[in-house]
Amino acid sequence: MPELPEVETVRRQLEPRLLGTVVTEGWSFPSPKFTDAPAAAGARITSVARRGKYLLVGLHGPEDQQHRELVVHLGMTGRLSVRAAAGSDLPDDAYLRARWYLDDGRSLDFHDVRRFGRVAVVPAGEYTRLATLAALGPEPWDPAFDGPSLRAYVNARRRYVKTLLLSQRPVAGVGNIYADEALWRAQVHPQSRRLTRAQADRLAGTVREVLTEGVANGGTTLRDYRDADGAEGANQHHLDCYGRGGQPCHRCGTELRATVVDARGTTYCPTCQRR
Ligand SMILES: [Zn+2]
């Protein structure tokens, strides 16, 4: 599933290709998850931003009293790409879920095989229809996210630290891959329910590190993720923990253990990451 680094990689590719173009028409697959797509028609794209795992495309139309946003969540298998010279042909691709025709003849296409993705057009910043987005915690590089804030959040709830990272509440953008990587690097057990000051400081730091490195490597492609050019990321070649159950820990040589934490596949080192 695309996490922050994958969405940020796509955002950086799309921004220069979309800024300033006008959406002339929108098409959607007939599912409530995508039927907002045509509502973007008539607006100029004024920004291409991201919050957590959400892509936020700023829209400004002549009729708009305020900016609106096209919100796209890639779900598990969603892919965005800009197609040259789309013309007006009807989409014949079985997995095309939304298409936005642009005034320069190109189109922005959203493909999603498994349909866990989502498209919405909302007044800018009004996310009441998108509960997870509305409740997102700070971006990992926001000063509001640090060791003390993470420790306060975890220790007040007494749930597994990995589950809380995945909730998007203490910090936005972390999914299963980067959670396992950050916990391994900080030497924190995924089922810890309390963090010491030192653990929380380390973990806040490693969350930022693994996400920063993920962006620098163009995201992690395990199976489905492709960037806006259809290319794979390279971060899968740099993983220390995620998906390496049964293989030796890169730090101590102990066999990494694969388990399940709150229904999510989880890998950790039983020697380096003690409860
Ligand atoms: Zn180890």
Coordinates of all heavy atoms in Angstrom, one line a residue, residues 184 249-254 256 269-273, ligand 1:
W184 N 12.3 -1.0 14.1 CA 13.6 -1.8 14.1 C 14.8 -0.9 14.4 O 15.6 -1.1 15.2 CB 13.8 -2.6 12.8 CG 15.1 -3.3 12.8 CD1 15.3 -4.6 13.3 CD2 16.3 -2.9 12.2 NE1 16.6 -4.9 13.1 CE2 17.3 -3.9 12.4 CE3 16.7 -1.7 11.6 CZ2 18.6 -3.8 12.0 CZ3 18.1 -1.6 11.2 CH2 19.0 -2.6 11.4
C249 N 19.1 -10.5 11.4 CA 19.1 -9.0 11.7 C 20.4 -8.4 11.3 O 21.5 -8.9 11.5 CB 18.9 -8.9 13.2 SG 19.1 -7.1 13.8
H250 N 20.2 -7.2 10.6 CA 21.4 -6.5 10.1 C 22.2 -5.9 11.2 O 23.3 -5.5 11.0 CB 21.0 -5.4 9.1 CG 20.6 -5.9 7.8 ND1 19.8 -5.2 6.9 CD2 20.8 -7.1 7.2 CE1 19.6 -5.9 5.8 NE2 20.2 -7.1 5.9
R251 N 21.6 -5.9 12.4 CA 22.4 -5.3 13.5 C 23.1 -6.3 14.4 O 24.2 -6.2 14.8 CB 21.4 -4.5 14.4 CG 22.1 -3.6 15.5 CD 21.1 -3.0 16.4 NE 20.3 -1.9 15.8 CZ 19.0 -2.0 15.5 NH1 18.3 -3.0 15.9 NH2 18.4 -0.9 15.0
C252 N 22.3 -7.4 14.7 CA 22.9 -8.4 15.7 C 23.0 -9.8 15.1 O 23.5 -10.7 15.8 CB 22.1 -8.4 16.9 SG 20.5 -9.2 16.8
G253 N 22.4 -10.1 14.0 CA 22.5 -11.4 13.4 C 21.4 -12.4 13.8 O 21.2 -13.5 13.2
T254 N 20.6 -12.0 14.8 CA 19.5 -12.9 15.3 C 18.5 -13.0 14.1 O 18.3 -12.1 13.3 CB 18.8 -12.2 16.5 OG1 19.7 -12.1 17.5 CG2 17.6 -13.1 17.0
L256 N 15.2 -12.6 12.3 CA 14.1 -11.7 12.5 C 12.8 -12.6 12.6 O 12.7 -13.6 11.9 CB 14.0 -10.7 11.4 CG 15.1 -9.7 11.2 CD1 14.8 -8.8 10.1 CD2 15.3 -8.9 12.5
C269 N 13.1 -7.8 15.4 CA 14.2 -8.6 16.0 C 14.0 -8.8 17.4 O 13.9 -7.9 18.2 CB 15.5 -7.8 15.8 SG 16.9 -8.7 16.5
P270 N 13.9 -10.1 17.8 CA 13.6 -10.4 19.2 C 14.7 -10.1 20.2 O 14.5 -10.0 21.4 CB 13.3 -11.9 19.2 CG 13.9 -12.5 18.0 CD 13.9 -11.3 17.0
T271 N 15.9 -9.9 19.6 CA 17.1 -9.5 20.5 C 17.2 -8.0 20.6 O 17.3 -7.4 21.7 CB 18.4 -10.0 19.9 OG1 18.3 -11.5 19.8 CG2 19.6 -9.7 20.7
C272 N 17.1 -7.2 19.5 CA 17.3 -5.8 19.5 C 16.1 -5.0 20.0 O 16.2 -3.9 20.4 CB 17.6 -5.2 18.1 SG 19.1 -5.8 17.4
Q273 N 14.9 -5.6 19.8 CA 13.6 -4.9 20.1 C 12.9 -5.7 21.2 O 12.0 -6.5 21.0 CB 12.7 -4.9 18.8 CG 13.3 -4.0 17.7 CD 12.5 -4.2 16.4 OE1 12.9 -5.0 15.6 NE2 11.5 -3.5 16.2
Ligands
ZN1 ZN 18.8 -7.6 16.1

